[in-house]
Amino acid sequence: MKKWPAFDNNGDLPVGIHQATLAETLQHFGTETPQREFVGQQLERIFLLANSTGQVARFIVFGSFVTSKPSPGDVDIFLLMKDSFDVAQVHGDAALVFDLQKAQDVLGASIFWIRKQGTISSQPEAMEDWQIKRDNSRRGIVEVIHNDSK
């Protein structure tokens, strides 16, 4: 299993993109409280729905779920999709992932997505931008990878 770095004084991961499988992410962040378990279940559902499209290039988790906060309200996700992704071709529950309002209402998540070609800067810079908090300080984020991606 993954060895996670300690949280900083603000309860955040150290700055950087911390790669982990879904199982490692859920084990570390989704077990301490009933609320964390609930949000972790939402994350798992979203990960499976998003990946059912076969079009996810990168799956980033940021916000309170990947902090030491005991009761995160939801999970925040950024999806970088392959250039061939066509949201009009996504149906059923998977379509919820790509509609910001429905994702919040039904999945309990704030989900943002863009195609690779839509990144204004380079792909690594686009990922790093999600480390910036509202107060302009930086925090670590988690990229959920498949078991064979390591």
Side-chain angles (χ1 to χ4, degrees):
M1 268 305 179
K2 178 176 178 60
K3 181 171 169 49
W4 291 89
F7 293 112
D8 66 17
N9 292 338
N10 297 316
D12 294 321
L13 287 170
V15 173
I17 300 173
H18 304 273
Q19 292 186 331
T21 64
L22 178 62
E24 291 167 335
T25 302
L26 293 174
Q27 181 182 32
H28 189 69
F29 296 103
T31 60
E32 293 294 314
T33 66
Q35 178 64 16
R36 283 195 160 279
E37 288 179 25
F38 175 72
V39 176
Q41 291 168 355
Q42 292 170 305
L43 173 62
E44 181 174 22
R45 180 176 182 207
I46 294 162
F47 183 80
L48 295 172
L49 289 172
N51 280 288
S52 74
T53 67
Q55 296 292 305
V56 176
R58 297 183 81 176
F59 190 103
I60 303 292
V61 182
F62 64 100
S64 62
F65 184 69
V66 293
T67 69
S68 64
K69 183 177 180 181
S71 296
D74 67 356
V75 62
D76 301 300
I77 299 167
F78 172 68
L79 299 172
L80 184 65
M81 305 301 291
K82 295 177 182 177
D83 290 336
S84 58
F85 177 66
D86 180 358
V87 71
Q89 299 300 312
V90 180
H91 303 287
D93 286 348
L96 298 171
V97 172
F98 303 98
D99 181 315
L100 182 61
Q101 192 61 54
K102 287 181 182 176
Q104 290 174 335
D105 294 344
V106 178
L107 301 173
S110 296
I111 305 172
F112 307 93
W113 67 272
I114 193 169
R115 287 178 200 86
K116 284 178 161 183
Q117 66 190 11
T119 58
I120 296 170
S121 58
S122 70
Q123 204 183 119
E125 288 174 354
M127 298 301 103
E128 291 172 8
D129 285 347
W130 293 97
Q131 295 179 80
I132 301 171
K133 295 170 42 172
R134 289 182 183 146
D135 65 2
N136 286 323
S137 64
R138 296 176 69 81
R139 53 149 179 237
I141 58 177
V142 175
E143 179 176 9
V144 182
I145 58 172
H146 293 277
N147 291 337
D148 58 357
S149 297
K150 280 188 170 178

